[in-house]
Amino acid sequence: QALDSIFNPRRAPAQRSMGLLQRSFLDLVETSQTDLELALVIDGTDSMADDIEGVRGALRNMIADLRKYKGDHVRCALVIYRDSGSASGEVSVPLREFTNDVDLLEGAISEVVPESGSPYFLELADLGVQNALNELPWSEDEETSRWLVLFGDAPPYDPDFNEAETGARRR
């Protein structure tokens, strides 16, 4: 439900804490540069299956709400992170270029299949963020705001975690 209204005060829930969070997002949108690049970094492990569906369901409204402030100057890219040993790899980038084509973005998210986050509760959130920051073609234009939104349900491994037999480690 929070995603349905994250950038829209009219659809915000009545709870006071959500309203405060909502207001800070709206302040950022209103005061940001003309263009907005938004990297969606999503945990693709099994425990996120319902949440990934939530992102899929809220995506069009989220982009439409941002466009009320920025017009067609909203571009998105998509990074999926999982865990060591996942069949699809630790990080995949279904949408490597920033695009304002919502259909293309929806198509990329619809292809995300949750995979096991075993053997640990901790995940490679840090690797997903690092990949988004360093591998996506972010604009260097001063008129572009650059946002990264992380959707996840578990923290990264501890800084000194390193397990040779499974390859699980902090990056």
Side-chain angles (χ1 to χ4, degrees):
Q1 180 183 12
L3 289 179
D4 289 335
S5 62
I6 194 167
F7 299 115
N8 187 319
R10 289 186 186 93
R11 289 196 305 263
Q15 293 96 345
R16 185 172 176 79
S17 63
M18 181 60 195
L20 292 173
L21 176 64
Q22 188 105 13
R23 187 68 242 164
S24 66
F25 267 116
L26 294 173
D27 288 343
L28 288 172
V29 174
E30 291 171 348
T31 61
S32 65
Q33 302 300 331
T34 303
D35 291 336
L36 176 62
E37 288 180 338
L38 179 64
L40 302 176
V41 180
I42 302 175
D43 174 350
T45 58
D46 283 336
S47 62
M48 283 287 292
D50 290 341
D51 298 300
I52 292 169
E53 283 303 314
V55 172
R56 285 180 185 139
L59 185 65
R60 268 199 193 270
N61 281 341
M62 224 169 60
I63 300 301
D65 290 342
L66 287 169
R67 285 184 172 167
K68 288 176 184 169
Y69 296 92
K70 300 294 176 192
D72 285 334
H73 300 276
V74 178
R75 296 181 302 279
C76 299
L78 178 62
V79 174
I80 306 299
Y81 66 91
R82 292 191 169 83
D83 203 356
S84 299
S86 292
S88 297
E90 297 170 338
V91 175
S92 61
V93 187
L95 197 52
R96 292 187 172 278
E97 302 291 325
F98 287 94
T99 181
N100 64 2
D101 184 338
V102 179
D103 292 329
L104 187 62
L105 181 59
E106 260 185 346
I109 289 180
S110 73
E111 298 294 317
V112 175
V113 176
E115 294 177 13
S116 174
S118 297
Y120 304 105
F121 176 67
L122 304 173
E123 294 166 349
L124 293 173
D126 52 330
L127 192 59
V129 168
Q130 189 261 350
N131 191 283
L133 292 175
N134 295 315
E135 303 299 325
L136 293 177
W138 296 94
S139 171
E140 294 183 21
D141 186 348
E142 291 182 16
E143 293 300 313
T144 302
S145 290
R146 292 164 288 281
W147 290 8
L148 186 150
V149 178
L150 176 69
F151 297 94
D153 66 352
Y157 294 110
D158 291 333
D160 59 348
F161 186 87
N162 188 352
E163 189 173 83
E165 60 270 11
T166 63
R169 64 184 171 89
R170 177 75 180 256
R171 309 298 166 93

